[in-house]
Amino acid sequence: MNKMAPVPLPEPWQGETYHGRPTLKPAEFDWKVAAYIAVQGAAGAAQVLAGVSRIEDPGDRNGLASRARAFALAGSVIAPAILIGHLKTPKRWYNMLRIVRPQSPMSWGSWVITAFGAASFAAWGAERMGWGRIADFAQIPASLAGAGAATYTATLLSTTSNPLWAAAPGPLAAQFAASSMAGGAAAVALLQRKAGKIESAQRLERLSAAALGAEAAASMMLSEAQRRAGVSAPLKKGPPAVLHKAGAQALGIAAPLLFRALGRPALASAAILLGGALLRQAVLRAGDESAKRPLDSLGFAREVRR
Amino acid sequence: MDGGLINPGRQEAERTAGARIEPGRSYGFFTDTTLCIGCKACEVACKEWNGLPADGDMRLSGHSYDNTGALGAETWRHVGFVERLDDRPGEMKPFQSNWIMFSDVCKHCDPAPCLEACPTGALFRTEFDTVVVQQDICNGCAYCVPACPFGVVEISKADGKAHKCTLCHDRMKGGMEPACAKACPTDSIQFGALEDLIPRAHERVEQLQEMGQDRAYLYGAPGTPGATHGIEKLNAFFLLTERPEVHGLPSEPVRPAPRAQPSLIAGLGTLAGLAAAALVFGLGGRR
């Protein structure tokens, strides 16, 4: 930490920029990253629910834990494959496992999702082999890594110099985590409904609605914090704002609650999953806009903001 | 001890920059905007030495004489031009006309947010305390791009790897000062060991103030604007006479890494709360 008082600058900042040019570069994480965050989030949360179900219902009489494990395993394989596709040099994906760097959420996150995949495979495989106790033992790391996989993507975005992503690390992470839980519960609810386990599906649907409530609350805190930091413009106007309002809020939060009220729970679950992906895409696109706005970036890096 | 240097005898850098290059010491640039004449020799020398292609489509930007635009994957020195004719009419401060030139470069921050973000170890701190991307390791994940507080690092569309100034790591290995500093005709860009450069820069500020340029200050030296919020120093630091924002520099750059903790607490807490709700209200029993 620098304890010395900074040298006074010639005069207060009046909003000058360098010819209005951007001072930061956009990350340009494409739609694959948005899809990755949504799939990994839902899969991670499903593995948390598998753990909850094993505690609540040790006999797995409704098959929830088994289906949640299968969904989580599928997600833990598909999501990293999508992520590797976004790399600009994908054939070197394995360099992600070359080092462990605690300061980099991209580094330890790679290890978390690797552990998530391995533990998910162990839990699913042991169960298929009829080794229930081994499956339950593997469930512990699988659920813990699942919680990490459902959350760390927000940490990854906040731990940058991007004004929009960095403005409020806590609310952004709460928003992503709640959206992940809504998606995980919605996905497992769809599987339970298909298997005819209606009561279990209904309870999962209620949980996903509660998670949407938490997501809405976190979103309100987030937009208030972004407004106070002077970085909220990309989510107020322009294409990312439209995506955020129509995709994340209308389709992702309002529509599922409406579908539930109309007695169309499967439709509600599908809307939650799609809305979760659109939320992530809106946040990524708005972040790219944020980086291109010199008043936002220069204003943000002016006072202590962690 | 030659530390793997190609030329352990009298080095070219000693003749051209008065600096002996030895592994284990900290090196950097002191870029003095009051001496810059906007000749762009640094940009050209950098492109020549590093084999970097020309910028863009050769169109005029309309931003004074700056047709380079910004630092990026293929531009590691960038001369900015600010004309202060409208806002300070009839006033001409000594030592800096109303036309301010500024040669920007990667700051080689300490600690470096790009390096802290890099998941592959491609970005590393060299034996000269500079920050370099190892091209044979980078996999183009692009996480260093938003991590940089100065918008310096960029992924090349040509090869899908991150690129930025290396402080001419290859030249330093050979006992030569970086190409931009060597080409600079006014010594606006000075290369050397930080233990020499920092006192020299403070003396220059005092000298300018004695001559009547009371707006001069350092940006990025320890304890000055630019070295703030966890960033201890910029190995490439500057002498400015305008606010940093005028040159597109943040007045108080922030090291992003400490934001991980509040993020993780909130995210995992939210997830744990919802999982606890699932446990309390139940997930459906037998049906």
Side-chain angles (χ1 to χ4, degrees):
Chain A
M1 281 302 107
N2 200 333
K3 292 283 188 292
M4 277 184 278
V7 176
L9 293 165
E11 61 262 314
W13 186 46
Q14 310 275 352
E16 299 95 334
T17 64
Y18 179 66
H19 297 292
R21 285 181 173 276
T23 69
L24 297 176
K25 296 239 181 322
E28 291 180 342
F29 292 141
D30 61 12
W31 65 268
K32 295 192 203 83
V33 178
Y36 162 77
I37 298 173
V39 174
Q40 186 74 270
Q47 200 62 281
V48 172
L49 292 176
V52 169
S53 175
R54 293 302 297 141
I55 297 169
E56 190 215 356
D57 176 19
D60 198 22
R61 288 163 298 180
N62 58 23
L64 194 162
S66 179
R67 290 188 194 94
R69 281 173 178 166
F71 174 77
L73 176 63
S76 78
V77 174
I78 294 166
I82 300 171
L83 189 63
I84 287 168
H86 112 88
L87 296 177
K88 302 297 186 295
T89 309
K91 65 179 185 223
R92 288 188 188 168
W93 65 271
Y94 53 83
N95 278 354
M96 289 294 191
L97 305 177
R98 187 174 167 267
I99 62 165
V100 182
R101 182 163 270 156
Q103 301 94 334
S104 169
M106 183 79 91
S107 171
W108 58 253
S110 300
W111 288 102
V112 167
I113 65 171
T114 304
F116 176 60
S120 293
F121 179 75
W124 175 85
E127 185 197 301
R128 285 293 174 285
M129 299 297 287
W131 305 332
R133 296 188 68 166
I134 295 177
D136 282 347
F137 186 73
Q139 187 63 54
I140 297 165
S143 292
L144 291 176
T151 309
Y152 89 97
T153 44
T155 309
L156 188 151
L157 296 182
S158 285
T159 316
T160 65
S161 297
N162 187 286
L164 187 83
W165 298 341
L172 184 73
Q175 183 192 44
F176 272 37
S179 173
S180 293
M181 183 53 92
V188 182
L190 283 173
L191 296 176
Q192 288 295 78
R193 216 163 248 290
K194 194 156 171 288
K197 304 290 177 187
I198 302 304
E199 190 190 329
S200 167
Q202 283 170 342
R203 294 205 176 210
L204 285 162
E205 282 151 12
R206 224 170 294 158
L207 175 65
S208 68
L212 286 188
E215 183 193 324
S219 300
M220 282 165 68
M221 285 171 64
L222 178 62
S223 66
E224 174 57 20
Q226 287 166 337
R227 191 191 59 74
R228 267 187 280 115
V231 300
S232 57
L235 286 172
K236 291 268 184 291
K237 247 178 84 181
V242 173
L243 191 61
H244 190 250
K245 290 195 179 88
Q249 293 178 334
L251 182 68
I253 298 179
L257 298 177
L258 183 68
F259 289 141
R260 260 177 73 80
L262 295 174
R264 304 295 298 275
L267 214 51
S269 295
I272 288 172
L273 286 166
L274 187 59
L278 294 176
L279 165 71
R280 273 52 170 251
Q281 175 71 353
V283 170
L284 294 181
R285 296 288 71 77
D288 284 354
E289 282 308 307
S290 184
K292 292 177 197 161
R293 297 170 59 90
L295 287 174
D296 290 19
S297 56
L298 292 173
F300 182 68
R302 200 160 39 115
E303 292 158 43
V304 190
R305 292 218 175 88
R306 288 271 151 85
Chain B
M1 194 186 79
D2 67 2
L5 287 177
I6 294 161
N7 178 5
R10 184 149 164 82
Q11 297 173 342
E12 188 188 286
E14 291 178 73
R15 300 165 204 262
T16 62
R20 186 164 175 83
I21 300 170
E22 289 165 333
R25 294 172 75 196
S26 295
Y27 292 86
F29 291 127
F30 165 42
T31 306
D32 181 348
T33 54
T34 62
L35 293 175
C36 183
I37 56 169
C39 71
K40 304 192 198 182
C42 51
E43 285 191 18
V44 176
C46 176
K47 294 243 180 215
E48 284 282 340
W49 177 263
N50 293 299
L52 299 170
D55 291 299
D57 46 13
M58 308 297 277
R59 276 192 306 187
L60 300 180
S61 68
H63 298 157
S64 189
Y65 274 62
D66 178 3
N67 297 305
T68 305
L71 294 172
E74 288 154 359
T75 304
W76 300 349
R77 268 282 176 190
H78 162 229
V79 181
F81 292 74
V82 177
E83 296 178 34
R84 306 220 74 169
L85 298 174
D86 302 332
D87 51 341
R88 294 215 302 255
E91 185 190 350
M92 183 79 92
K93 287 268 179 185
F95 277 83
Q96 200 59 298
S97 65
N98 287 342
W99 198 359
I100 300 130
M101 280 77 82
F102 161 75
S103 180
D104 199 6
V105 69
C106 169
K107 284 53 176 192
H108 295 269
C109 312
D110 176 23
C114 63
L115 191 158
E116 292 193 315
C118 180
T120 65
L123 270 153
F124 79 119
R125 193 164 285 283
T126 71
E127 68 273 39
F128 306 120
D129 196 26
T130 57
V131 180
V132 173
V133 189
Q134 297 175 86
Q135 294 303 319
D136 56 338
I137 292 171
C138 176
N139 66 10
C141 81
Y143 191 41
C144 53
V145 176
C148 176
F150 301 101
V152 172
V153 201
E154 192 178 35
I155 304 289
S156 164
K157 296 225 171 6
D159 70 355
K161 318 279 188 302
H163 294 271
K164 67 170 200 72
C165 163
T166 67
L167 219 113
C168 281
H169 189 248
D170 50 352
R171 288 177 63 90
M172 288 184 70
K173 280 283 208 189
M176 291 187 278
E177 74 171 310
C180 57
K182 189 176 178 190
C184 180
T186 64
D187 252 356
S188 168
I189 303 171
Q190 296 179 36
F191 163 80
L194 290 181
E195 58 196 305
D196 301 330
L197 285 184
I198 292 171
R200 197 190 299 168
H202 282 292
E203 279 167 31
R204 173 67 179 161
V205 171
E206 279 170 33
Q207 184 194 21
L208 283 167
Q209 280 168 348
E210 279 165 22
M211 292 162 117
Q213 173 48 283
D214 53 357
R215 294 161 62 90
Y217 67 97
L218 297 183
Y219 178 91
T224 66
T228 45
H229 308 310
I231 297 175
E232 305 280 331
K233 65 178 171 29
L234 307 179
N235 280 22
F237 63 100
F238 302 87
L239 188 154
L240 307 177
T241 57
E242 300 292 325
R243 275 198 66 98
E245 291 90 348
V246 171
H247 304 290
L249 297 170
S251 62
E252 295 184 28
V254 184
R255 175 176 169 250
R259 291 195 199 100
Q261 196 187 346
S263 170
L264 276 174
I265 291 169
L268 293 175
T270 302
L271 212 59
L274 289 166
L279 193 59
V280 170
F281 294 104
L283 289 174
R286 73 187 71 221
R287 290 180 297 273

